[in-house]
Amino acid sequence: MGWWLQSNQPDLPQPAPLPGSSGPPAPYVIVGDEGFALSPNLMRPFPRRELNEERCTFNYRLSRARRFVECAFGILASKWRIFHSDIQLAPEIVNNGIKACVVLHNYIHMYEASPDEDAEVLTSEAHGDLSLLGRAGSAGLRVRKLFSDYFMSPAGSNLT
């Protein structure tokens, strides 16, 4: 994934305006923690030193987004052993294997699962150390500033 992001050609949707914003289009990004390097397509929190209100708000919103992703992965991993270790599939079919797990999970959830079945998994933390080393480029800093400004704007401050 690190190589893919650093190739500067990640297969992400085209930039789009943020909800309720009249500002410039924002790129789609992947959220990460402090172990990741900031880039235009990978957002990480501001360093913990010298945090002001704007940076704290950005870090909080980014952390909430990460928790949703971690919970979703925790739910998938609790049902499908394929996610307990390195995926033992040929690289050209890994995406299809992941998609199959998501479709099967959604089918089970819609038709067979009780509403409380996933509640315990939702509160657990996903673990992993996927470090990408490097220094933030100016493009990554500009994208993080764009999101930070948006979160402080009236449109972005209404997000739950």
Side-chain angles (χ1 to χ4, degrees), residues 12 15-16 18 24-31 37-44 46 54 58 62 136-151:
L12 294 171
L18 292 166
Y28 283 78
V29 296
I30 296 171
V31 296
L38 180 67
S39 76
N41 295 111
L42 196 150
M43 288 296 100
R44 60 164 285 160
F46 284 101
E54 180 180 347
F58 175 87
L62 189 73
S138 60
L141 292 170
R142 282 192 304 271
V143 171
R144 184 166 63 182
K145 178 72 172 140
L146 175 69
F147 279 99
S148 182
D149 290 346
Y150 173 71
F151 292 149

Side-chain angles (χ1 to χ4, degrees), residues 61-75 122 160:
R61 299 276 171 90
L62 189 73
S63 174
R64 285 190 63 196
R66 259 190 38 249
R67 284 194 308 263
F68 277 99
V69 173
E70 289 170 354
C71 288
F73 182 77
I75 290 168
L122 286 171
T160 56

Side-chain angles (χ1 to χ4, degrees), residues 76-92:
L76 278 177
S78 73
K79 290 188 174 160
W80 309 106
R81 287 187 180 191
I82 191 172
F83 299 112
H84 288 205
S85 62
D86 292 344
I87 297 177
Q88 301 297 314
L89 294 173
E92 56 273 5

